[in-house]
Amino acid sequence: MTYKTGLDFAVLQDREDPLSHYRSKFHIPKHSDGTDTIYFCGNSLGLQPKSTQSYIDQELKDWAELGVEGHVHGTNPWLSYHELLTDNMAQIVGAKPIEVVVMNTLTTNLHLMMVSFYKPTKTRYKILIEADAFPSDKYAVESQLRHHGYDDKEGLLLWHSRVGEELARYEDLENIIKNHGHEIALVMIGGVNYYTGQFFDLNRITTLGHDHGCIVGFDCAHGAGNVKLNLHQSGADFAIWCTYKYLNSGPGSLSGVFVHERHAYDNKLNRFTGWWSHNKETRFKMRDDFDLLPGAEGWQLSNPPILSMAAIKASLDMFGEAGMDNLITKSRKLTGYFEFLLNELKNDNIKIITPSQPGERGCQLSIQVKNANKNLHQKLTEAGIISDWREPDVIRCAPVPLYNSFKDVYTMVERLKIILNAQ
Ligand SMILES: *Cc1c(COP(=O)(O)O)cnc(C)c1O
C-alpha cells in the first residue's frame, strides 16, 4: 500500500474504511477542550463499547427479578454463561472451542497453568522467559521456582536481546535451547512483547521447545484481539491472556485460557480443581466423587463473576461481527500509515523499535525518543493524545482498528511534530 502525507489522504482512508462505523459504538474519552482524545492506549485498557451497559443491565435485571433462579431461568442462564463466550474467543485466538475457557484473571491463570505444565525433575527444572518479560510474568515464574524448592536466579534462564539492540533474535533463543534444553522444563514467552511490540513466531518457538522436550506456553495479553495467534496450529501446550486490553472488556476483567487439545482428556495431569472443574451434569448433586470436565473447562475452579462476563460478551459479540481477518487487514494499513508518517518526520531523535515487517507486529508502535523524559509524554497528554510512557525513553502507541481512525493517526503525528520541534 502506498501512503501519502496530508490530511486529505487520512480523510479518504476513513471514508473507504469498511470498519469505520465501529468507532461510534465506543465511548471515546474527552480532552479538556471537549474534543475526543486521540486514544492510543488500547494496548493497556481498551475503550468501553456503548453496548456494554445494556449487557450488564440485562444481568442486573435478571438478578433483581429472579434472584437465584437466574442461574437456570435467566435470559442467559448463569450456570452456562461462560459457554456463550467460547466460540467467539476460540475464533479470536485461533483455537478449537474445547481448548478455550474464560476464567479468573491473567496472572492467576498463569499459575494454574504452571501447576499443570511446570513439572520440574531433578535434572530438568529450569524456566526460560524473555529477559524483557512483563514483570508479573517474571514474578510468577520466579515464585513457582521457589515454590518447588529451586533458586529463582539459578533456575531462571533469560532470552536477552543483544547489547545495543531492542528486539530478541531467534538464533539466540536457539542457542540457549541447544545448550540448556535438557535442563529446561518450561519455555514461557510473551506472544507479543509488551514493550517492543514484537510478535514472536509461536510455531517456531513451540517446535524448538518441543524438539528439546520442553513444555511451551505463551502469555498472549498483547496478542489476543490484536494479531492472528493461531494457537491450535502453533502446537503450544497452553496460553493465557487478559480481556481488558485489546478485548475491551473493562478494568481487571477476566482472562482467557488455551490448553491444547492433546491435553483435553488427560486426567492424570496434575491440577488444582474445584466444583466448576467437575462434570456439569452431576455438579449439583454435590455428593459425587470428582468427575473431571474435559478440555480447558476442566481448569475452572469457581462459578464466575457474571457481570464481568457480560462485559466480555458485549465485546466479543462485536469482534465476532467485525471479524478478526477484517480487523487485521485494517490494523496493518493503520499501523503502516502511522509508521510512514513517523518516518516522514525525518527526525533523527525518534526511532521505531517495533519490527517493520507487518507479520512481526500487531498495531502497537514503540517509539524511542533520544534524550526524552516523561515530560514529552506529559506534553502529548496535554495535547489530547493518550499514549503510554515506558522508562527510560519509549512511548507506546496502539492505533486500534476497531475505534481508531486514520485521522487519529494523522493528528497524533502532527501534534508530535510540533512538540518535538519545540524541544
Ligand atoms: C497486562 C499483562 C499482565 C497483567 O496481569 P494481570 O494478572 O491481568 O494483572 C500480565 N502479563 C502480561 C504479559 C501483560 O501484558
Side-chain angles (χ1 to χ4, degrees):
M1 163 138 203
T2 24
Y3 300 107
K4 295 198 180 97
T5 54
L7 177 60
D8 47 343
F9 179 81
V11 171
L12 182 67
Q13 292 310 307
D14 283 330
R15 202 177 299 144
E16 290 179 352
D17 167 18
L19 300 178
S20 63
H21 61 289
Y22 279 99
R23 181 183 177 85
S24 65
K25 295 177 191 279
F26 284 86
H27 293 288
I28 314 272
K30 295 279 185 223
H31 186 35
S32 51
D33 66 5
T35 58
D36 286 350
T37 52
I38 312 281
Y39 193 83
F40 279 178
C41 252
N43 54 349
S44 192
L45 182 71
L47 290 182
Q48 183 187 140
K50 290 179 179 163
S51 59
T52 303
Q53 174 104 43
S54 65
Y55 277 67
I56 294 178
D57 283 350
Q58 176 66 58
E59 302 317 314
L60 287 172
K61 183 166 175 285
D62 280 0
W63 178 25
E65 292 176 0
L66 301 171
V68 71
E69 303 238 287
H71 282 301
V72 180
H73 299 301
T75 315
N76 306 302
W78 303 327
L79 283 185
S80 53
Y81 198 97
H82 72 275
E83 294 170 16
L84 301 174
L85 311 178
T86 305
D87 285 354
N88 273 335
M89 192 61 104
Q91 282 278 332
I92 289 169
V93 299
K96 299 187 177 183
I98 195 170
E99 296 173 317
V100 169
V101 72
V102 174
M103 62 182 196
N104 312 313
T105 48
L106 173 54
T107 308
T108 306
N109 285 334
L110 174 55
H111 277 296
L112 290 178
M113 289 297 105
M114 288 195 283
V115 165
S116 297
F117 293 108
Y118 173 50
K119 297 179 285 189
T121 65
K122 251 201 166 74
T123 52
R124 188 191 278 276
Y125 59 88
K126 294 190 178 177
I127 302 180
L128 173 63
I129 63 173
E130 77 266 44
D132 206 5
F134 195 90
S136 195
D137 299 24
K138 181 153 185 279
Y139 304 152
V141 299
E142 285 171 344
S143 69
Q144 286 281 335
L145 282 162
R146 291 193 299 272
H147 175 72
H148 286 276
Y150 300 102
D151 183 283
D152 57 26
K153 296 246 167 359
E154 198 265 331
L156 191 64
L157 294 175
L158 299 175
W159 175 23
H160 281 280
S161 56
R162 297 186 185 176
V163 177
E165 296 186 354
E166 300 295 333
L167 304 179
R169 293 183 185 229
Y170 293 104
E171 314 80 285
D172 297 337
L173 182 72
E174 279 158 10
N175 272 332
I176 298 173
I177 295 190
K178 207 162 71 196
N179 295 328
H180 298 278
H182 59 287
E183 304 167 344
I184 299 173
L186 172 66
V187 177
M188 221 305 289
I189 304 290
V192 175
N193 183 272
Y194 81 101
Y195 184 72
T196 62
Q198 182 175 15
F199 175 24
F200 292 114
D201 184 335
L202 307 191
N203 212 316
R204 182 167 175 180
I205 295 175
T206 305
T207 306
L208 190 59
H210 283 176
D211 283 351
H212 288 79
C214 321
I215 290 274
V216 180
F218 293 101
D219 184 330
C220 294
H222 280 264
N226 178 29
V227 294
K228 230 173 151 62
L229 289 168
N230 286 329
L231 286 178
H232 174 79
Q233 184 253 323
S234 80
D237 294 284
F238 71 86
I240 52 199
W241 57 94
C242 56
T243 59
Y244 51 80
K245 291 173 178 164
Y246 293 104
L247 295 177
N248 308 322
S249 302
S253 175
L254 302 176
S255 153
V257 171
F258 162 89
V259 178
H260 197 277
E261 192 179 29
R262 81 176 82 89
H263 303 297
Y265 296 93
D266 182 356
N267 53 17
K268 296 216 170 49
L269 211 49
N270 208 13
R271 69 176 93 197
F272 291 164
T273 50
W275 68 331
W276 241 250
S277 18
H278 181 92
N279 185 344
K280 297 171 198 182
E281 309 305 322
T282 56
R283 185 181 287 153
F284 290 93
K285 289 193 186 155
M286 315 286 247
R287 294 280 182 272
D288 290 341
D289 286 339
F290 184 69
D291 179 10
L292 181 69
L293 273 176
E297 285 190 333
W299 271 268
Q300 298 173 107
L301 301 176
S302 301
N303 82 99
I306 299 300
L307 300 182
S308 181
M309 283 198 162
I312 299 175
K313 186 168 188 315
S315 170
L316 296 194
D317 284 354
M318 200 189 289
F319 267 87
E321 188 191 284
M324 240 1 245
D325 287 340
N326 298 329
L327 287 166
I328 285 172
T329 302
K330 174 172 174 188
S331 178
R332 289 190 172 183
K333 272 189 200 160
L334 197 60
T335 297
Y337 176 55
F338 189 22
E339 179 181 44
F340 166 79
L341 290 182
L342 288 169
N343 287 336
E344 280 299 304
L345 290 180
K346 304 199 191 316
N347 185 325
D348 291 338
N349 287 331
I350 63 172
K351 181 180 150 203
I352 301 169
I353 62 173
T354 307
S356 56
Q357 283 297 326
E360 293 174 26
R361 69 183 182 199
C363 70
Q364 171 185 325
L365 291 184
S366 303
I367 310 164
Q368 198 170 43
V369 190
K370 220 182 262 172
N371 306 323
N373 54 37
K374 200 156 189 267
N375 195 16
L376 172 68
H377 178 251
Q378 183 59 29
K379 291 219 174 93
L380 283 170
T381 309
E382 283 162 14
I385 293 153
I386 309 301
S387 63
D388 166 293
W389 174 258
R390 287 292 128 188
E391 294 292 343
D393 55 4
V394 166
I395 314 169
R396 297 186 305 166
C397 291
V400 167
L402 259 178
Y403 50 76
N404 284 122
S405 62
F406 289 83
K407 187 161 173 238
D408 280 347
V409 169
Y410 175 84
T411 311
M412 186 289 175
V413 178
E414 282 299 297
R415 292 182 189 168
L416 177 67
K417 180 161 70 182
I418 293 169
I419 294 167
L420 288 175
N421 286 343
Q423 277 197 330

